[in-house]
Amino acid sequence: MVPFINDSDFVMLEEGFVARDLIDRMISEVSDTDDKDAFFVVDLGDVVKKHLRFLKALPRVKPFYAVKCNSSRGVVQTLAELGAGFDCASKTEIELVQSVGVPACRIIYANPCKQINQIKYAARNGVRLMTFDNEVELAKVARTHPNSRMVLRITTDDSKASGRLSVKFGAPLKACRHLLEVAKTLNVEVVGVSFHVGTGCTDPQTFSQAIADARLVFSMAEELGFKMQVLDIGGGFPGTEDAKVHFEEIAAVINPALDMYFPEGCGVDIIAEPGRYYVASAFTLAVSIIAKKEVPLEQPGSEYDEHCSNRSFMYYLNDGVYGSFNCIFFDHARPKPILHKKPSPDQPWHSSSLWGPTCDGLDLIAEHLELPELQVGDWLIFDNMGAYTVAASSTFNGFQQSQIHYAMPRVDWDVVQLFQEGLLQPEAEDLESFRTQLSCGSEISSCLRVAPFFQTTGII
């Protein structure tokens, strides 16, 4: 049986159990009730494994998690315990990250267009590292945060990305020398360069060109007397295994480019801003059908294949595009439903569409689906729902955001503790092998103390 711990929103998964078992358990518990609200189950162990994978694939790069992708407290706390840095874009995100004990030196305020009062907030709270891409931003920072350490964001060729960012942010190479000269005049300290190849990058070589461009800007800055210390290679890393380009393929391009343009020992700290990479596959959403409507398909003169159904159904779910499925509009997502109940082999399938609960006709989740006939109260499961879902969820029409429940396999609990205790050194360990040893009952796991992270959240 999957253990529930103190009836909290956290479950420790013992050996042999996975997050899907928790979903099945939770659905079973409400099956005979009317309390069938949509909910997430988050496998924090998946976040831990992604962290180990990142450190192995990009050993010279320190991840600064992009909080905007998913600001769920459990995710932030887990990554904080693992020693990750954080990419924050606002006062609220900085506040969240610091509330779980992250020091200011592990935060980059990576928003090139900052509000003055939020710059002052960063200054008061010790956050010095921040980005810029224009003269106006330099002038604001010079007035309000003279102790800042600025990183110049440059444009990239993001034409092969699903979400382009250089149309809004970044300075072209031809403008960089002038901006550096302005920074010198204003006595603003420039310490590095950043870029972002765009969301859903499909061409790893874009990273190589961007790193080469950053090297040119480093040279410009050094000629003007700046001491350059930070290279931020941004995000764009895939978070699911069905992505067009795998994470390791991108790493295989980044590593040699770093060795060529920023060789080890050159005195430059290299960071990245992965967001979806960490959380996309960790979140699973369970939704139930709250209403259905049959829509006749047959029309006069129409001909149908004798094996095809001429029935069509509209199903209304208790979460929609104004809630967790906002990723359809904002992140180019195409969520695919999984039936919680396995249909019988002889059950006919029908043309179907899925709709959210609001009164807006735009609240369409998916259409042109082939599904067996479903009933009110049946459940659908959606995998890979962690990136840009809960982050932009609203309460439009009075519908509440789906509740989040966290789970973690005990072996990953142990890994988090080892990081928190400083007993695991990323640069010295084969981390994935170490995790395997723990799962096989290594003696070290039996003598670990409960990490403060879990004590403070009331998990045990």
Side-chain angles (χ1 to χ4, degrees):
M1 226 164 166
V2 181
F4 280 75
I5 303 178
N6 280 357
D7 296 325
S8 70
D9 289 331
F10 181 91
V11 174
M12 177 75 77
L13 297 174
E14 298 294 352
E15 186 176 355
F17 291 95
V18 296
R20 182 59 186 266
D21 296 318
L22 176 58
I23 294 173
D24 293 341
R25 166 78 174 269
M26 295 178 69
I27 289 176
S28 176
E29 288 183 345
V30 300
S31 60
D32 296 326
T33 73
D34 295 327
D35 187 16
K36 297 181 179 180
D37 294 332
F39 64 89
F40 283 98
V41 166
V42 185
D43 181 2
L44 292 176
D46 190 69
V47 176
V48 174
K49 288 191 282 287
K50 286 288 186 67
H51 188 66
L52 302 187
R53 183 177 173 187
F54 190 99
L55 298 181
K56 180 179 180 180
L58 292 170
R60 295 186 56 203
V61 182
K62 181 168 183 177
F64 276 54
Y65 172 65
V67 180
K68 67 179 182 290
C69 180
N70 187 320
S71 59
S72 301
R73 194 174 184 87
V75 170
V76 172
Q77 287 180 305
T78 299
L79 288 171
E81 294 293 342
L82 291 170
F86 292 86
D87 155 20
C88 297
S90 66
K91 167 188 173 180
T92 301
E93 290 185 354
I94 293 172
E95 201 169 33
L96 168 64
V97 169
Q98 292 193 322
S99 73
V100 299
V102 176
C105 62
R106 280 164 51 191
I107 297 173
I108 179 170
Y109 191 177
N111 187 341
C113 53
K114 298 171 285 297
Q115 196 168 316
I116 289 177
N117 70 325
Q118 301 209 8
I119 296 174
K120 290 180 177 179
Y121 178 86
R124 289 195 304 271
N125 288 274
V127 177
R128 299 179 62 198
L129 198 62
M130 54 182 64
T131 59
F132 76 101
D133 65 4
N134 63 82
E135 289 186 53
V136 174
E137 197 70 14
L138 279 173
K140 285 192 301 184
V141 172
R143 292 194 309 271
T144 58
H145 194 349
N147 292 322
S148 64
R149 301 173 71 240
M150 301 300 291
V151 175
L152 172 55
R153 178 159 173 170
I154 61 174
T155 57
T156 62
D157 176 12
D158 55 6
S159 59
K160 296 181 180 179
S162 61
R164 304 185 66 179
L165 296 174
S166 287
V167 295
K168 183 176 182 180
F169 299 120
L173 285 180
K174 62 183 180 182
C176 288
R177 182 175 291 276
H178 173 68
L179 287 175
L180 290 167
E181 290 171 343
V182 171
K184 198 72 176 176
T185 301
L186 294 173
N187 200 31
V188 173
E189 183 182 9
V190 178
V191 297
V193 173
S194 71
F195 60 80
H196 198 301
V197 299
T199 296
C201 175
T202 60
D203 182 7
Q205 293 302 323
T206 306
F207 278 93
S208 183
Q209 183 58 56
I211 291 170
D213 290 345
R215 177 69 263 179
L216 291 175
V217 179
F218 262 68
S219 297
M220 292 180 200
E222 287 162 353
E223 287 173 10
L224 293 170
F226 290 107
K227 186 178 180 181
M228 302 294 278
Q229 303 168 345
V230 178
L231 172 66
D232 180 352
I233 64 173
F237 307 104
T240 58
E241 293 306 312
D242 60 356
K244 293 181 180 179
V245 180
H246 288 173
F247 173 64
E248 279 73 16
E249 292 179 72
I250 294 175
V253 172
I254 290 175
N255 286 325
L258 292 177
D259 291 340
M260 176 178 293
Y261 297 106
F262 296 89
E264 199 161 359
C266 68
V268 176
D269 293 324
I270 302 165
I271 67 174
E273 300 171 0
R276 75 178 62 250
Y277 166 81
Y278 272 110
V279 295
S281 59
F283 280 63
T284 301
L285 177 65
V287 299
S288 66
I289 297 172
I290 60 173
K292 64 180 283 191
K293 179 169 65 177
E294 184 171 355
V295 183
L297 275 181
E298 189 171 359
Q299 298 177 5
S302 298
E303 295 184 2
Y304 291 90
D305 188 299
E306 61 180 359
H307 300 293
C308 293
S309 165
N310 62 351
R311 303 174 69 193
S312 177
F313 292 93
M314 298 172 66
Y315 297 103
Y316 302 84
L317 312 181
N318 52 2
D319 201 342
V321 299
Y322 287 94
S324 306
F325 292 97
N326 67 82
C327 55
I328 293 171
F329 286 155
F330 299 137
D331 198 40
H332 314 283
R334 293 292 178 267
K336 298 178 181 178
I338 300 170
L339 300 176
H340 181 250
K341 290 181 181 177
K342 187 176 181 180
S344 60
D346 58 346
Q347 193 169 355
W349 291 58
H350 314 283
S351 175
S352 306
S353 57
L354 304 179
W355 300 79
T358 71
C359 294
D360 194 333
L362 292 175
D363 199 356
L364 172 62
I365 298 168
E367 58 184 339
H368 308 305
L369 300 175
E370 291 295 321
L371 297 172
E373 183 176 356
L374 304 173
Q375 306 301 327
V376 171
D378 285 349
W379 290 84
L380 297 176
I381 309 298
F382 291 85
D383 290 333
N384 301 324
M385 286 292 289
Y388 301 99
T389 51
V390 296
S393 179
S394 76
T395 57
F396 173 67
N397 238 175
F399 291 98
Q400 297 304 300
Q401 296 166 317
S402 296
Q403 190 172 355
I404 298 174
H405 303 271
Y406 299 104
M408 183 181 288
R410 185 171 292 276
V411 61
D412 296 303
W413 172 300
D414 291 347
V415 170
V416 172
Q417 280 192 252
L418 290 170
F419 269 95
Q420 197 274 334
E421 297 284 350
L423 299 176
L424 197 56
Q425 301 299 321
E427 66 277 4
E429 306 277 3
D430 182 342
L431 296 172
E432 290 180 305
S433 296
F434 193 84
R435 181 183 178 278
T436 301
Q437 291 174 28
L438 285 175
S439 65
C440 294
S442 170
E443 291 182 5
I444 192 168
S445 65
S446 65
C447 63
L448 294 173
R449 299 197 307 273
V450 176
F453 157 52
F454 299 106
Q455 291 174 334
T456 57
T457 52
I459 290 167
I460 61 171

